[in-house]
Amino acid sequence: MTNNKSAFVVSADWLQERLGDPTIRILDAAWYLPAQNRNPKAEYDAGHIPGAVFFDQDAIADHTSGLPHTLPSPEVFASSVGALGVSEKDTIVVYDGPGIMTAPRVWWMLRIMGAKNVYVLDGGMDGWNREGRPVTTEVPSPRPATFNASFTPSAVTSFERMKEIVADGNIQIADARGAGRFYGEEPEPRAGMRSGHMPGARSLPSGIFSENGKFKDLATLRQTFADAGVDLSKPVVTTCGSGVTAAIITLALQSLGHTDNTLYDGSWSEWGGRADTTIVTGRE
């Protein structure tokens, strides 16, 4: 990749040239909201990148939290990913359907669990198909691997910590939900949840970081943060609806060399679903 693009994003050309390389593991990490009317597993079964295994973000999760696809324990994550034939030493490429949508979440999970060489595919499966690249319906049967998890708990923000951040106002909050939900002008997609945002949060809708499924260049990413009032010399916590698209902001931050960032895993599913949290609506 050229130096004006993220070091964590690889092109379709790069991946196609390496199909069949035994040192590379490919994960289809597509996931959709019901309103998107797309079935990720059905799409995978109908045709995927050769060698790719399906990473189910609903299954590889903490099912005791009461929230959607919360980060699982390191032990559960290691067992699940190892069963997919992936070790922390592999070069791992993660993709989704539209490109730069849900793959960054799995990129983030793998990295905070100890994998070093993890990349997101630019353009996603939709772009891969548009360009007529090779697909297969053959489902791999990878030999189970040992994934040695080395979890970084500081990369994840808890609800209690999020309350402190909101109260203190010392750490910037970057929210990846759409502007309508952020300002309380549109309902949340999940029932029983207030819309609006946390006091002090900045609106950075997840879609502004990519165009036609491809990640924007570093200069544009930097300007996007500046336009939203985010100071890249200071800490940031990322959030969204359920902890998935927040990782797009995390990917953008880390692409720019920003390392003092965490992701609020409960995100709006937790904050907006409670009665004891402070919510702001309207455009200031």
Side-chain angles (χ1 to χ4, degrees):
M1 306 300 288
T2 55
N3 60 7
N4 68 335
K5 295 282 281 187
S6 170
F8 301 116
V9 175
V10 296
S11 69
D13 283 343
W14 185 95
L15 182 58
Q16 186 171 341
E17 288 168 6
R18 289 162 178 78
L19 291 180
D21 184 331
T23 66
I24 293 179
R25 298 288 180 266
I26 308 171
L27 300 180
D28 182 323
W31 180 89
Y32 301 101
L33 288 166
Q36 292 173 279
N37 201 29
R38 291 180 67 168
N39 183 318
K41 184 59 165 60
E43 290 186 16
Y44 171 84
D45 291 339
H48 50 266
I49 296 174
V53 293
F54 186 70
F55 185 107
D56 188 336
Q57 295 204 46
D58 286 326
I60 303 176
D62 177 2
H63 299 289
T64 67
S65 75
L67 298 168
H69 40 247
T70 306
L71 191 71
S73 69
E75 295 76 20
V76 168
F77 185 86
S79 173
S80 301
V81 175
L84 296 176
V86 177
S87 105
E88 82 286 355
K89 295 184 176 69
D90 290 326
T91 296
I92 308 165
V93 177
V94 189
Y95 71 87
D96 53 42
I100 318 296
M101 184 185 165
T102 59
R105 165 75 181 193
V106 177
W107 165 88
W108 172 78
M109 291 169 75
L110 285 159
R111 281 170 55 80
I112 68 167
M113 290 294 182
K116 305 291 188 205
N117 301 312
V118 193
Y119 305 93
V120 174
L121 176 65
D122 225 12
M125 191 68 202
D126 292 353
W128 186 274
N129 283 328
R130 277 195 304 270
E131 294 164 4
R133 297 179 185 273
V135 298
T136 184
T137 56
E138 183 180 340
V139 177
S141 300
R143 179 179 298 173
T146 299
F147 188 101
N148 295 297
S150 178
F151 179 47
T152 307
S154 60
V156 187
T157 292
S158 67
F159 173 70
E160 294 303 322
R161 177 65 183 129
M162 198 69 220
K163 284 200 297 185
E164 294 173 357
I165 289 169
V166 169
D168 294 345
N170 294 330
I171 294 179
Q172 302 169 103
I173 304 167
D175 192 324
R177 292 173 304 143
R181 292 163 63 189
F182 180 89
Y183 292 113
E185 298 164 354
E186 295 174 8
E188 288 293 311
R190 294 177 177 84
M193 209 169 290
R194 298 174 290 166
S195 58
H197 59 270
M198 302 164 200
R202 302 287 183 170
S203 177
L204 285 129
S206 59
I208 64 176
F209 296 97
S210 61
E211 188 170 0
N212 297 321
K214 295 192 174 181
F215 213 37
K216 293 181 177 178
D217 62 75
L218 297 180
T220 304
L221 296 179
R222 192 177 300 278
Q223 189 61 47
T224 298
F225 284 110
D227 291 346
V230 174
D231 184 342
L232 293 175
S233 70
K234 296 177 180 177
V236 179
V237 57
T238 65
T239 182
C240 60
S242 61
V244 174
T245 58
I248 298 173
I249 305 180
T250 304
L251 174 63
L253 287 168
Q254 296 193 14
S255 295
L256 292 168
H258 187 285
T259 56
D260 193 0
N261 54 78
T262 68
L263 188 149
Y264 171 32
D265 201 31
S267 281
W268 203 256
S269 295
E270 186 170 52
W271 193 272
R274 298 177 63 116
D276 60 347
T277 50
T278 305
I279 291 177
V280 179
T281 59
R283 296 175 185 257
E284 297 168 7

